[in-house]
Amino acid sequence: MRPQVNLDRRHARALDPRVSFSRASDATFQMASGVWRRAAAGGARLGHASNGTALGLVLETEAVNRVRNPLSEVVTTGTIGSGGVLPTNWSWSPISGMALEIVGVVVVDGVDCLRVRVSGTAGASGSCFLFCETALGIAASNGQAWTQSALLRRHAAPGTAPVVQMRPISRNSGGAQLTAFAGSSLTLSAPLTRFSSTVTIADATAAAIQPAFAFPVTISTAYDATFDIGWPQMELGALASSPIIPPVGSPAATTRPADAMSALVTDFGATAGLLAGTLVINGRTPAADATAVALTFDDGTADNRIALSRQAGRAMRAAVVIGGSMVATLDGPTVADSTDFVLAVGFEAGTLALCCNGGTVVTAAPASIPPGLVRLAASGWGGSLARVGWWPRRLSATDLQSVTA
């Protein structure tokens, strides 16, 4: 059952030319091969999961990477303390007997990585820390959630490889340590893999947070392993968005604006302002539990629209707005974070119907349908949309189940 508007991005190499897309900066995405690329400003990202699964159009919210030098610029190879120099803003805090050698900066799967060798015989039990930002370089405060992420791999391990953890540290205004957050041990192997860790500051005097990689060691144990650390990131919030990197030679905290797309159904031969129709979206939910709008069908403004969203609590919802006022909402089942789904919403005068993943059709009875509906739009969803479809009629309950199964 093919919709009149059928924007299927699962296997497309580019957007349909009738679709408008915007983003005011470049942005990163992962190809099916696992290689990372940058899309130019205003360029759509047709992304893939780490296993190569096509995700469709990536639609992220605005985010800021507070790590100023994720490209690991300005290094000198060699052992720290014997001629080796870490990238600008990076530092090393070892356990006695342990050394860090800067092997160099390498590109792995399109990612700029700092290659470091961690070796020696530990003179005490504890953790060596590799910091990718200065102690007071990232302002933070009590109660905030922060997410550290990076692309990591173990390049070589001729001896025992120390465990690697992400362990950001909260600090007061003088730079003194408040909390070194606990971090789970990461399973690193040869493939470059992205990891993330979210922490919430619970220190009344917190003024900064410092992202760090910890290497726990045990006294009298000998270690020797080489690691690649690529595109480290620190973001405010409980979500690791795609890697955000500054221009080469211009290290700074870097903002990636939100992605936005839109299409007019009239460009597909449809009539504007119909008071009956059906919307369907195939997508992947955001990686965090927060209210996010996946798609709106509107009159070109926010005053008259039908919105498809996932609410805080993870319930899928359809909402009807007329004249700027919410006149009806309809909640469906919950969908977990970072999970594929298919959602369809049919509407006509007096009826709103929702079906998700072929399940039960739920209905509501709005008094009317918004006038002038013509534009399909999405911005800052926080997940991805693989397909957007629209029929100029309300599908039956059986058809709603069929198109979402």
Side-chain angles (χ1 to χ4, degrees):
M1 186 182 303
R2 184 179 178 85
Q4 182 168 352
V5 177
N6 187 43
L7 303 176
D8 192 336
R9 305 175 181 90
R10 287 168 290 190
H11 307 292
R13 293 182 178 273
L15 286 184
D16 186 298
R18 294 168 288 187
V19 175
S20 297
F21 183 86
S22 64
R23 185 191 58 254
S25 75
D26 65 6
T28 60
F29 67 100
Q30 192 170 27
M31 301 175 68
S33 63
V35 172
W36 287 83
R37 292 284 185 262
R38 292 199 206 193
R45 294 177 287 168
L46 301 175
H48 295 80
S50 57
N51 64 2
T53 301
L55 299 177
L57 182 64
V58 178
L59 291 163
E60 293 188 289
T61 57
E62 180 177 289
V64 182
N65 181 7
R66 304 290 179 176
V67 175
R68 290 173 289 175
N69 190 12
L71 296 177
S72 303
E73 294 183 305
V74 190
V75 301
T76 301
T77 59
T79 301
I80 301 300
S82 299
V85 179
L86 280 161
T88 303
N89 300 326
W90 292 52
S91 61
W92 168 246
S93 177
I95 292 291
S96 63
M98 298 299 296
L100 182 76
E101 178 187 352
I102 309 304
V103 180
V105 177
V106 298
V107 176
V108 180
D109 294 338
V111 178
D112 306 270
C113 297
L114 179 67
R115 180 165 291 172
V116 296
R117 180 187 178 194
V118 180
S119 63
T121 299
S125 294
S127 291
C128 304
F129 282 87
L130 176 61
F131 300 102
C132 56
E133 186 51 81
T134 60
L136 297 177
I138 302 175
S141 59
N142 187 35
Q144 289 181 331
W146 286 86
T147 299
Q148 179 180 340
S149 60
L151 288 128
L152 305 170
R153 76 166 184 160
R154 188 180 66 243
H155 173 66
T160 299
V163 167
V164 180
Q165 301 172 335
M166 288 187 183
R167 295 193 62 187
I169 293 176
S170 60
R171 298 187 182 275
N172 64 21
S173 59
Q177 176 177 312
L178 298 174
T179 300
F181 291 94
S184 58
S185 299
L186 306 177
T187 302
L188 304 188
S189 56
L192 193 65
T193 304
R194 193 157 191 246
F195 297 90
S196 66
S197 177
T198 298
V199 300
T200 300
I201 299 174
D203 300 301
T205 60
I209 190 162
Q210 186 178 24
F213 302 95
F215 302 86
V217 295
T218 302
I219 188 171
S220 300
T221 302
Y223 298 92
D224 190 0
T226 302
F227 302 96
D228 292 336
I229 302 172
W231 291 351
Q233 188 150 299
M234 198 69 175
E235 298 174 80
L236 180 61
L239 170 67
S241 66
S242 64
I244 305 169
I245 48 181
V248 173
S250 301
T254 303
T255 300
R256 183 200 58 243
D259 300 285
M261 61 78 64
S262 64
L264 301 177
V265 297
T266 49
D267 289 339
F268 294 81
T271 301
L274 295 178
L275 298 179
T278 300
L279 300 165
V280 63
I281 52 175
N282 297 53
R284 177 166 291 191
T285 55
D289 178 21
T291 297
V293 177
L295 182 77
T296 62
F297 187 35
D298 59 42
D299 66 349
T301 74
D303 292 337
N304 296 292
R305 58 194 167 102
I306 296 174
L308 280 56
S309 65
R310 190 179 75 145
Q311 297 294 294
R314 301 181 175 86
M316 306 305 290
R317 171 177 287 185
V320 177
V321 175
I322 299 177
S325 298
M326 188 86 69
V327 299
T329 60
L330 178 59
D331 286 352
T334 59
V335 179
D337 300 342
S338 301
T339 300
D340 294 335
F341 70 93
V342 187
L343 176 68
V345 173
F347 59 91
E348 61 186 2
T351 303
L352 187 67
L354 178 151
C355 184
C356 186
N357 295 336
T360 301
V361 176
V362 293
T363 60
S368 57
I369 297 299
L373 300 179
V374 67
R375 183 181 67 170
L376 299 165
S379 177
W381 159 231
S384 59
L385 291 181
R387 180 192 182 212
V388 174
W390 176 79
W391 288 265
R393 66 185 187 283
R394 181 197 180 284
L395 298 186
S396 68
T398 298
D399 286 340
L400 289 174
Q401 291 175 316
S402 175
V403 300
T404 60

